[in-house]
Amino acid sequence: MTPEKPGTPRIHGGMVVPMSEMQTTVRTELGIDGRSYYLAQGQDLGALREAIEEAARTHAKFVDFVVVGNRAVSVLVTRRTQVAFSVETVQFDPRDTGDQDAPYGGAYDF
């Protein structure tokens, strides 16, 4: 993939939007045993990493976090669980607040 030059326009919703007008944010992907979870904005990554590390030191323990769409997820972490974090810059979505009382996306969100 070739890096874009500053100011290169992107297509958004069928319209060309100059990069200078597009808001972006950093999105964190959490991979657990080959399954990906995109974390909601506002997640405390340090606390999540500590919770995963603590769970891995025990026989098994659930770790809770919120994903994009403001949905809660609980994952059982053991000593054999494989975990990876990665980050990327994506277009900002004002709905991605981490508020579990305001979920969005999914099968019935049109």
Side-chain angles (χ1 to χ4, degrees):
M1 179 184 266
T2 306
E4 295 178 354
K5 295 178 185 174
T8 302
R10 289 196 177 198
I11 304 297
H12 173 67
M15 299 176 59
V16 176
V17 179
M19 288 296 290
S20 61
E21 294 179 23
M22 187 177 298
Q23 292 181 340
T24 60
T25 189
V26 174
R27 176 172 62 191
T28 303
E29 179 180 7
L30 171 58
I32 299 180
D33 286 339
R35 177 150 185 199
S36 291
Y37 300 93
Y38 291 106
L39 301 179
Q41 296 297 311
Q43 295 289 288
D44 183 341
L45 297 182
L48 181 56
R49 286 177 64 139
E50 288 177 16
I52 291 169
E53 290 170 357
E54 178 185 331
R57 286 190 289 268
T58 67
H59 181 67
K61 186 174 180 180
F62 278 97
V63 174
D64 302 321
F65 51 92
V66 180
V67 297
V68 169
N70 299 334
R71 289 176 166 73
V73 175
S74 292
V75 177
L76 185 63
V77 175
T78 69
R79 292 180 179 149
R80 294 179 158 248
T81 302
Q82 296 180 348
V83 178
F85 284 90
S86 65
V87 295
E88 64 181 328
T89 301
V90 297
Q91 184 176 347
F92 177 74
D93 185 342
R95 301 175 299 172
D96 184 20
T97 62
D99 182 358
Q100 297 175 51
D101 292 331
Y104 68 93
Y108 302 105
D109 187 23
F110 295 101

